[in-house]
Amino acid sequence: MELGNNFGQFLETLRGKMSLRKVASKSGLSHAYIRDLELGRNRTTNEAIKPSPDTLRKLSHAYQYPYTDLLMKAGYLEEASASQASLQIRLDLVWYVEFGIKHITYYTQEGTTEENVESLVAFTSFIEQLMDHDFIKLDTHLFVNLNKIKKYAPAEGKLYFHLYEEEPCVTLAALPQKKYHQTLLEYEARNNGLAIENDSSAPLSSLKAKFLT
């Protein structure tokens, strides 16, 4: 879908009197890129550009404008019902979620459930729901519920959802394991009713658990 410059003008209207640099600071985007979006083209190549759903999410936070409405104006969501076609699955009962091209697979104690997704906005909106339920991204297509981790085996790079059973489990890539190592240790302890001493030398994630001793 071609947006023309109407969407760019809409973004400029949202910004109002706020400076480009202030929006850049609030959104994490560069001020030059924000201006390109307002103009509807890359000023270096003169090619038309369209913001990604992730970019729109950042702008929605910066402008305090509803994310779904912004997606609709950008042409990602043509029918409101598209983002509402989801199964009634309780995320607090889900161990982990795997994303496919057109489907989502949920893993729970009861087994697996697969859900087809009709639109990109359904994916992006769903990711926000996962983050609200303490899921973290541990691979390109894998999100794990921190509140369901029963055993973390750093040497193996694996997470288990039963304390005394080896399966099911997920295997971590090296970089996310390093990034979330302390957080995984803390959630493992909390989920098992234990307390651990905090490693002050480890970088703390924004998702770090808080313990009462």
Side-chain angles (χ1 to χ4, degrees), residues 8 16 18 20 31 35 75 80 100 111 114-115 121 139 155 157 175 177 182 211:
M18 195 184 308
L20 287 167
H31 67 278
R35 185 54 183 160
E114 189 172 290
E115 172 185 10
V121 68
D139 202 345
L175 287 179
Q177 182 181 0
Q182 185 68 26
F211 295 92

Side-chain angles (χ1 to χ4, degrees), residues 78-113:
E78 295 181 0
E79 297 180 7
S81 60
S83 65
Q84 297 169 356
S86 63
L87 298 175
Q88 297 300 311
I89 294 179
R90 287 183 54 184
L91 292 179
D92 60 313
L93 300 179
V94 174
W95 288 336
Y96 61 100
V97 176
E98 287 184 334
F99 283 75
I101 297 176
K102 281 291 184 179
H103 65 272
I104 299 171
T105 304
Y106 304 86
Y107 294 81
T108 69
Q109 187 170 351
E110 304 302 321
T112 62
T113 303

Side-chain angles (χ1 to χ4, degrees), residues 6 29 32-33 35 38 47 68 74 78 124 158 163 210:
N6 290 338
L29 303 169
Y33 179 58
R35 185 54 183 160
E38 292 178 350
E47 295 179 350
T68 301
E78 295 181 0
T124 53
K158 291 184 177 181
L163 192 58
K210 293 180 172 60

